[in-house]
Amino acid sequence: MSLTSGLYFSTDASILDDHSIKTDFDCVAQMMFVSGETADPSLETTTMIENIVQQQVIEMLTRATALAARRGTRTITTDDLIFLIRHDRAKVSRLRTFLSWKDVRKSAKDSDVKGAGGGADGVDEFDLGGNDPTLGTGPAVGTRNNKNKKAKVGLPWDVSSFYSEQVPEREDEEDEEEEEMTAATLERLRQADERTNGMNAAEYLHFSECRQASFTFRKGKRFREWAGFGVVTDSKPNDDIVDILGFLTYEIVTLLTEEALKVKASEDATKVEGGDEEKTGRKRRREPGLFDAPEEARKPIGPRHIQEAFRRLQEPELKARYMSHIPKGSWQRPLKLI
C-alpha cells in the first residue's frame, strides 16, 4: 500500500499549502470542464481530485523505481512507466501515439532550424494538437510529409522485439490496440462535438484553452516538487518522463470526472423516480413545456461523487478476484493505477 493511501479522503483544503491551491486549482477545473463538467466545481472537489492524482503519480514513481532497481539501476525510463499501464491497451496505444507525434514535432523543429525556419517548403509551422491528449497531439500541419513520418514506439515486452529481423508493416494490417484507441478517441470527440455544437466564438475559445490544461506544461520544476522527485525516487526525470506523467495525469482527471458524472446522473435519476420532497403529491413527473419557468441550474459534482467514482475505479478485475474469499490476515489490496 502506498504511503499516501487514504489521501483522497482528505477534503479539508487547509491541509494543502496555498502554493498548491493557487497553481493547480485552475488546471483541474479546466480538465473537468473539458471532460463534461459544465458547472463550476467547488474547491473541495478540485482539491480531492488533485490529491488523488498526486497519490497516483507517487505510486507510479514508487513502482517504476522498484522496476529500475530490479534491473540494477536507479534511473527510471519511459518503459518503466508504460509497463505499469500495459494492461490498458487503449491507453498504451494513445500514449505511444502521443510520443510518436512528439518525436515528429521535434524532428520537424530541428529540420526547420537547420533550414532557416520553415521557409524551405513555404509552409509555416502550426501546432494543431498542442498538449491536448484527446487530440492525439498531432504534429504541425506543415510537417506531415514523407521526411517526417510518425515512427512507431517499440516496447521491450512486444513479441516483435524478441527477434532481430522485423516483418515489414502492411497498410491493411489491423491492430487491436489501434482499434481500441480509435473507438475511445472517437467517443470523446463525439462528446466534444455535441458540447461545442451550440457554442459561440467566445465560448469555443474558452473551451479550446481549457483543452490545453496540463500539470506539466510550463510547470516542470513545480511539478517535480509536487510529484516527489528527490523524495520518492532519486532519479532525475528527463523531458519524456515528465511528458508521460503529464499525459497520464490528464487521463486520471478525465476518468475521475467521467465516472463521477455517471454517479451523479444515477443519483439524479433515482431522485426523479422517487420524487423530490416538494413533488411528493404528483403522481408522475411532467415533461417541461415551452412556457414553463426555467429549472434550477444543475449542481456540480461534489466530493461524494468523486469518492464513489474512485471506489468504482479501484474495483479489481475479475481475474484479480480469484480465491479472494480465502482469509489473508491483515493483507490489503494494493492501490490500483487508473
Side-chain angles (χ1 to χ4, degrees):
M1 199 69 171
S2 173
L3 295 176
T4 58
S5 60
L7 186 59
Y8 52 88
F9 290 113
S10 179
T11 59
D12 186 5
S14 62
I15 65 173
L16 297 176
D17 50 56
D18 295 338
H19 177 79
S20 178
I21 294 176
K22 290 180 180 178
T23 55
D24 296 327
F25 169 71
D26 293 339
C27 169
V28 175
Q30 290 174 352
M31 292 180 183
M32 294 178 64
F33 176 72
V34 174
S35 303
E37 177 52 272
T38 56
D40 293 331
S42 63
L43 176 62
E44 190 178 8
T45 302
T46 54
T47 301
M48 180 176 293
I49 292 181
E50 182 183 335
N51 288 341
I52 294 175
V53 174
Q54 185 180 29
Q55 178 191 30
Q56 292 281 310
V57 172
I58 292 176
E59 186 69 19
M60 290 179 193
L61 294 178
T62 302
R63 297 184 185 182
T65 303
L67 290 175
R70 295 178 64 178
R71 298 197 316 270
T73 179
R74 299 172 59 183
T75 304
I76 62 176
T77 63
T78 57
D79 293 338
D80 295 327
L81 292 176
I82 301 176
F83 184 78
L84 299 176
I85 60 171
R86 65 191 182 281
H87 298 300
D88 192 342
R89 298 192 299 178
K91 184 183 293 186
V92 171
S93 184
R94 289 196 298 270
L95 180 55
R96 295 171 73 172
T97 303
F98 169 79
L99 295 176
S100 299
W101 286 126
K102 178 187 173 183
D103 292 339
V104 170
R105 289 199 302 271
K106 183 179 179 181
S107 60
K109 185 177 180 180
D110 294 341
S111 61
D112 288 344
V113 171
K114 294 180 180 179
D121 298 331
V123 181
D124 293 333
E125 185 178 357
F126 177 73
D127 193 357
L128 177 65
N131 293 309
D132 184 6
T134 60
L135 287 179
T137 56
V141 174
T143 62
R144 297 177 186 265
N145 51 33
N146 296 330
K147 190 174 295 185
N148 296 316
K149 290 184 178 179
K150 184 182 69 151
K152 187 175 182 180
V153 178
L155 299 174
W157 54 88
D158 287 341
V159 178
S160 58
S161 65
F162 299 162
Y163 304 95
S164 57
E165 298 293 335
Q166 301 295 328
V167 179
E169 296 184 1
R170 299 181 304 175
E171 295 183 358
D172 58 344
E173 186 176 4
E174 297 181 356
D175 190 349
E176 295 181 359
E177 292 184 359
E178 291 287 345
E179 293 178 357
E180 294 182 9
M181 179 200 68
T182 302
T185 303
L186 289 178
E187 177 61 24
R188 289 184 179 180
L189 290 176
R190 183 190 65 80
Q191 295 175 359
D193 183 67
E194 291 180 354
R195 290 191 57 197
T196 58
N197 192 25
M199 290 184 178
N200 54 33
E203 293 173 343
Y204 187 77
L205 179 61
H206 174 68
F207 181 81
S208 300
E209 291 176 352
C210 290
R211 296 187 76 175
Q212 309 301 322
S214 172
F215 277 93
T216 59
F217 183 63
R218 295 180 179 177
K219 305 174 186 176
K221 182 178 179 181
R222 191 181 307 131
F223 177 79
R224 290 178 176 88
E225 296 176 356
W226 177 80
F229 283 100
V231 179
V232 180
T233 177
D234 295 333
S235 175
K236 294 184 178 180
N238 53 30
D239 293 339
D240 290 336
I241 296 292
V242 174
D243 289 339
I244 290 177
L245 290 176
F247 175 89
L248 295 178
T249 51
Y250 192 103
E251 290 279 333
I252 293 171
V253 176
T254 300
L255 289 175
L256 281 172
T257 305
E258 292 176 348
E259 193 65 31
L261 289 173
K262 294 178 182 178
V263 172
K264 187 178 185 303
S266 177
E267 181 182 282
D268 295 342
T270 304
K271 289 182 179 179
V272 171
E273 293 177 358
D276 297 334
E277 295 179 359
E278 299 178 357
K279 303 176 182 179
T280 53
R282 298 184 181 181
K283 294 183 179 180
R284 66 176 182 176
R285 180 181 175 87
R286 182 175 63 86
E287 293 294 331
L290 178 61
F291 299 100
D292 289 345
E295 296 183 357
E296 185 180 357
R298 189 183 70 83
K299 295 182 180 180
I301 56 179
R304 68 177 186 278
H305 304 124
I306 299 298
Q307 285 188 1
E308 175 61 19
F310 185 75
R311 186 195 66 81
R312 293 183 181 184
L313 293 173
Q314 284 295 305
E315 290 182 353
E317 303 293 338
L318 184 61
K319 61 181 180 180
R321 300 178 185 176
Y322 179 69
M323 298 183 67
S324 60
H325 60 282
I326 299 178
K328 300 180 179 64
S330 59
W331 177 85
Q332 292 181 341
R333 192 177 301 277
L335 180 68
K336 180 181 177 182
L337 299 178
I338 58 178

